[in-house]
Amino acid sequence: MLYIRVVNTASGARAVQVIYYRNRKRVIYKHIGSAHTDEEVNELKRVAQAFIDTRIPFLPGFQDTNPDSLLHLDKSEFLGVYHTFFHEVFSLLIRKLGFNDFCVQLLLDLVIMRVFEPASKLRSIELLNTYFGIKHRRQAFYDLAPSWLALKEKAEAVCLKHARINHGFRYELLFYDVTTLYFEAFEEDELRKKGFSKDNKSEQPQILVALMVTKEGFPVAYDIFPGNTFEGNTILPVIKKFIERHAVQDFTIVADAAMISSENIQSFRDNNINYIVGARLGNLSSKLFDELDSSINRVDGESVRVKTDNGYLICSFSSTRYRKDKHEMERQIEKAKAAIKTPARNRRLKFVKSNNSKIELNEALIEKTGKLLGLKGYFTNLEEDIASNNAIMERYGELYKIEHAFRISKNDLETRPVFHYKEEPIKLHILICFMALALSKEIELKTGVSIRKFTTECKKVTDARILNLITSKEIRIRAKASQEIEAYLGNLNLSH
């Protein structure tokens, strides 16, 4: 049977829930809403009772028959549909990860809405009622939101614990990268600054978001920086904070070439941090470049390891990469030649240089670039007996998983904080998106399908809302879940 439960929340409000018991354990079947006054609580309890009275079909294993389930089409009115199944599934997943241990229901519902249909926070509160029949007061958001800013470390700790228990994370390997999020504005402040934009929006203020994920791509930490911060200056503060918080002893960070600098390398060494970072071979000194050029064997799968001031430089050759690089170089040379023939159309191009007000081909750069075709470099401090050249390259190759996490954030979760202009709302928005990203990655890792595919299938399971004109009661009839979605829930170990 279904029961009504009233429970006090962390904010001092009272939440009204519909619950049932399974194996002597209480299970929340539906969150009706939160209230502060007795009158509001009683109204929510009436809504909950109406929900219980009209709910069909009942929970699996329930044998009760509701007389209102006998409908006459000419005495019924279709009111629309709810996507309660979607909310129930993600609520179960939230409990599995542990976010419900420190979050109030309104925040959790906003996280769910971020996955279901990204929108502004106030719009999301409206949509919660539209899609799920869940009511929250706008004032509750204004009252509670400031306190949520302190939940960042708790959210990270929950993700880290989940990664250890469910994905075998042992701190030994973490992947780091940053992205930029721009604003539809031109005014800067302390956080929103103009800088190098990964979205080609350098004229607009932005923020820099740093993210750390496990080798599977599951997020465990993040941070926010002003938009004009050089991304290479972000990695050490984030990593040091992570090490201090979790007392990590042995640690290897994997990051792209933008993170490499002599200062960063020295700091890695001072803090006993192992590193694997991309190398920009075009920036090597002439001496090191000549040594590399003479020692590398340009055969598929061949690699060389050279000792440098930044650790070991590992370089490999790929014929596939060679063909791609060669095609790109030839295309750029043709553009350079065309620009030289028509100076009026000249713009900044890679293989063009100015010589006494005359533009010409940069033959030296062309020759150097030709020697780099097909080559890829990596810096590391790991000795060869600990990590072979192939192991280093394989670990670096997994860096795409953090890029995939960013794609989920930007595309599926629409993380760009277009509706926010002040620092605190921006930080709260990123917190919500981080939690939504963790749910999304858990789904992808366990089901093997994209979060977009999973949410599409969940949305197909709707609750039809039908008004019985004889009894004036609303009845809900749920569409049958497909075998596909049932298989997904089995992979997630969610019983529904």
Side-chain angles (χ1 to χ4, degrees), residues 453-472:
K453 169 70 172 174
F454 182 84
T455 56
T456 298
E457 291 302 316
C458 281
K459 288 178 181 179
K460 292 178 181 178
V461 185
T462 58
D463 288 355
R465 301 173 57 206
I466 301 174
L467 179 63
N468 188 329
L469 298 177
I470 298 176
T471 62
S472 297

Side-chain angles (χ1 to χ4, degrees), residues 379-410:
F379 281 114
T380 185
N381 66 326
L382 296 172
E383 298 291 341
E384 192 166 8
D385 58 342
I386 296 176
S388 67
N389 292 357
N390 286 337
I392 296 296
M393 292 185 285
E394 287 174 5
R395 290 177 185 176
Y396 186 87
E398 292 177 332
L399 195 60
Y400 79 91
K401 292 177 181 177
I402 196 168
E403 296 170 355
H404 178 64
F406 278 134
R407 282 197 296 274
I408 292 175
S409 295
K410 287 192 170 184

